[in-house]
Amino acid sequence: MNDSPPAPRRSLGQLGSLRTLWPFVRRHRGLLAAWLAALAISSAATLSLPTAVRQMIDHGFSGGGQINQAFALLFVVAVVLAIATAARFFFVSLLGEKVVSDLRRQLYVHLIGLDAGFHDRNRSGELVSRLSADSELLRSVIGSTISVALRSGVTVIGSLSMLFVTSPRLAAFALIGIPLAVLPIVLGARRLQKASRASQDRIADANTLAAETLGAVRTVQAHARETYEGGRFGAALDVSVRTARRRIGTQAWVTAAAIVLVFGAIVLVLWSGAHDVIDGRMTPGTLGQFVLYALIGGGSVGALAEVWNELQRAAGGMGRISELLQEQPGVTAPAQPLPLPVPLSGEIRFDNVVFHYPQHPGLPALDGFDLHVRPGETVALVGPSGAGKSTVLSMLLRFHDPQAGAVSVDGIDVRTVDPARLREQIALVPQQPALFAASAADNIRYGRLQASDAELEAAARAAEADDFIR
Ligand SMILES: Nc1ncnc2c1ncn2[C@@H]1O[C@H](COP(=O)(O)OP(=O)(O)OP(=O)(O)O)[C@@H](O)[C@H]1O
Ligand SMILES: [Mg+2]
């Protein structure tokens, strides 16, 4: 986790945000190298197939001994192709899994460390969606899309070169068709990226809604709002499908246009080649070889068109993930944190504290608040709902920094110490307690992970929770 992704440069092209993936990929150099090696071998095997076929057509059908040799060669090439393809698939898929898991881990650790203000602004459902849906998108991108893109790119270049080797005249014809095919792909790409981001955003909206209502399922049921919530979720899904429909539609047209143009060019070239064979300017085997290269190259251009669009989609997802990764916590430890006495004697002081939540700039939750709690003293804050009692505790834990005034413990300003060290020395029972999906013991231990079983029981007994836990 040492490499942090480079700062985002929004002005980079649409695919620019995919660059931020590189530090994650670089960590798995071995897999990357193995994948590229397998890719090179499988591409070479694919590109050597048509020459084997020409041998077969031109010589195989005439001589007795040669036919065995030609077919044996063809089979050997096929076996090499099979093994290299399997290896390529294995290495790149594994690479995708590892990169996405690293990315997820880093994003999660980053999110969990961001300050309370950030989490007030961002709904957890949406963050979970980034963590799952967007990462999922990237998994498919690394595991298949980039793989297909690179493979198709290599194949296009390779087959194009071989077309020229086979028949320069026919290849020149084909060369006119390819740029024609690339044009609509490039034109469609820009629209597609926008549509893709919109579509992912709508999915996040639906996820947020579901996370909220599932989190408060009792409230929903208490008001008998199941049908109402079902309708709301359905409506959110409908919007996401409508948004997706635009993206899918564009993608479909781009793919269709590319295929028509590429294969249209191939048919034209073939027609001219057929005349060459009839007039004796070319052997049937050479035309066969040419056709195969053209088919392989054309197919790869089609595949490129398809994955180009996928790449756009992934760039949208990675863009959102890097935005989150760039998010800096508003509350941080100072460069040289002062040490806190362990244990604290427990003196708490609020001096003329002014604080308003970022969402309500004009409405301070605490305004000139003073408080002095001596060590060992027990203090209860009493006041109407919204008076700011919980806010006082948030300030003490340094979830937020005051706009004016200071909070100190044992005479040390909380802004001069590491928040983690400070919070370790404070035990908080929140107004809305959270139970983690773990055993009762794990939940009790959450405050001190290394607590012994005896301490655990003592805590349970002290909370009078001993009876119902057992
Ligand atoms: N996370 C938040 N984001 C924005 N405003 C908040 C947030 N938490 C509290 N507030 C606002 O700050 C003010 C003080 O809220 P606080 O939660 O501290 O009150 P409280 O005294 O604990 O109330 P209660 O008795 O209901 O728990 C209220 O106006 C509330 O709306
Ligand atoms: Mg409260």
Side-chain angles (χ1 to χ4, degrees), residues 107-177:
L107 184 60
Y108 175 73
V109 167
H110 183 71
L111 287 179
I112 222 167
L114 286 175
D115 60 297
F118 170 84
H119 288 286
D120 283 347
R121 285 195 307 279
N122 293 274
R123 292 179 295 180
S124 62
E126 189 166 329
L127 297 180
V128 169
S129 173
R130 297 277 169 271
L131 208 53
S132 55
D134 285 341
S135 314
E136 212 48 53
L137 196 65
L138 288 173
R139 187 222 303 273
S140 79
V141 161
I142 300 164
S144 78
T145 311
I146 292 187
S147 160
V148 174
L150 204 59
R151 184 179 79 218
S152 307
V154 170
T155 314
V156 167
I157 294 170
S159 50
L160 205 61
S161 321
M162 290 309 288
L163 283 177
F164 272 99
V165 171
T166 314
S167 162
R169 201 179 70 84
L170 289 186
F173 279 138
L175 206 56
I176 299 168

Side-chain angles (χ1 to χ4, degrees), residues 386 388-391 431:
K389 305 178 294 291
S390 299
T391 305
Q431 201 160 346

